[in-house]
Amino acid sequence: MIDIVFILNEIDNILYFPILIIVMALAGIYFTARTRGVQIRLFPESIRILTEPPGAGAVSSLQAMLVSTASRVGTGNIIGVSTAICLGGPGAVFWMWVMCIIGASSAFIESTLAQIYKRKDSEGKFYGGPAYYIEKGLHSPKLAIIFCIFLIATYAIGFNLLCSYNLQSTFIEYPFYDAATTPLIIGAIIAILVGFCLLGGGNRIIKMTSTIVPFMGVSYVIVAVIVILFNITYIPSMFGQIISNAFDFHSILGGITGSCLIYGIKRGLFSNEAGVGSAPNASASANVSHPAKQGLVQTLSVYIDTLLLCTATALMCLSTGVAHDAAVSGAPYVQTAISTVFGWAGPMFITVAMVLFAFTTLIGNLYYVDNAIIYLNHKKEPSKKFMKIFYIFATFIVFIGAMIPMDAAWAAADITMGGMTLINLPACMMMGKIAIDCLKDYEKQRKEGKEPVFKASSIGLDESELDTWK
């Protein structure tokens, strides 16, 4: 009998080492060097842009950033970090930080390109993403189609399988949990709720959870800080543990596919999605005076996800000194750590946070899928009948996800996301000069005391290939 989980794990391992680790590192270092560290150098400017008011009925930089941040923030900030530490070691946290800072430059490039090549619909609203800048910038519609297929596989299948699994795994610590029946029941409940919302009946639920989730995110950070403060005497040794493990190259080279280096990169990428090609779909919707503005604010979204939320989980868990190994990988490690301070209320808080994060993630993932389906349908909205069938399929995936093994859930998400990244990042590198010239144009105007306004001709672009910036 074919061991599907084994095959998925082997593909996952080969994909990330050596292929993706090289592509991501090269792209991040290249963009950081060419932009002179735009993600660090222009950090104050990124914050200033967020305060700009939008035009009447337009999507602002802040609103577009919040959409992409909502997609980034999810179960990966809790379960992903826990898995990385338990399976890779504390050093995984350090490599998450490194990839976050380097990867933020990739986020700048992809979102700036999405703005440059965005399209306008009949109602005057903007849309776009990697498929559009690959088609127009690289003149490769076939590659754009392949990217859309990977995007659908990632956000309708890979990520939703994993999100559903992660949600049900938070109930493992409760006495009523039964490995045979509980995942089935939870999977059915999640699937029914998601299906209800997708088929048009859950607008109130979506609105309510979208309102609550930002508050839950802030509450989560506050709770994490409280746990850290309770264990403040362990902070120096905790950081020592992170650094020593991160640079234990004898251990890393001894089993690199399961090392802190690889797990830090995998889970960091899963969490912040920098360079994956997802956030540009939201970035393209913003109505700004210059494409570089949206690129700059997207670097903040990466920082919020990894340097704030992922770090909160990592430091909260490690500061408690709770044992971390494969047996407690995932939700149990976080719940055990938080219970050292909050008792029974701690695991309950994590469960509530996970339910909210997971639900908005499941719905939000399909926002990106809708854009990809429209592109594949000759840039037209498909029939309501087709979308209804597709949403039923997506709901079934959510149900299945709650019952599959952990390794299969993570491998499916890693592989599909890796496929997106392997198309998007090389495309961004080939078109990188366009985004870099755009940044230079922005900085030139700022130095002249102007509020930057972009014209495609100012950096030598063919205006006939663009819907905007003429």
Side-chain angles (χ1 to χ4, degrees), residues 366-385:
L366 293 164
Y367 166 79
Y368 291 148
V369 173
D370 285 351
N371 283 349
I373 290 174
I374 290 170
Y375 183 88
L376 293 177
N377 192 44
H378 308 289
K379 302 182 182 71
K380 299 175 183 176
E381 287 198 15
S383 67
K384 290 183 179 180
K385 182 179 179 181

Side-chain angles (χ1 to χ4, degrees), residues 35 38 41-42 108 292 435-443:
T35 61
V38 63
R41 187 168 54 84
L42 294 185
F108 169 82
I436 293 163
D437 287 346
C438 182
L439 173 63
K440 289 177 181 176
D441 178 71
Y442 179 85
E443 291 191 88

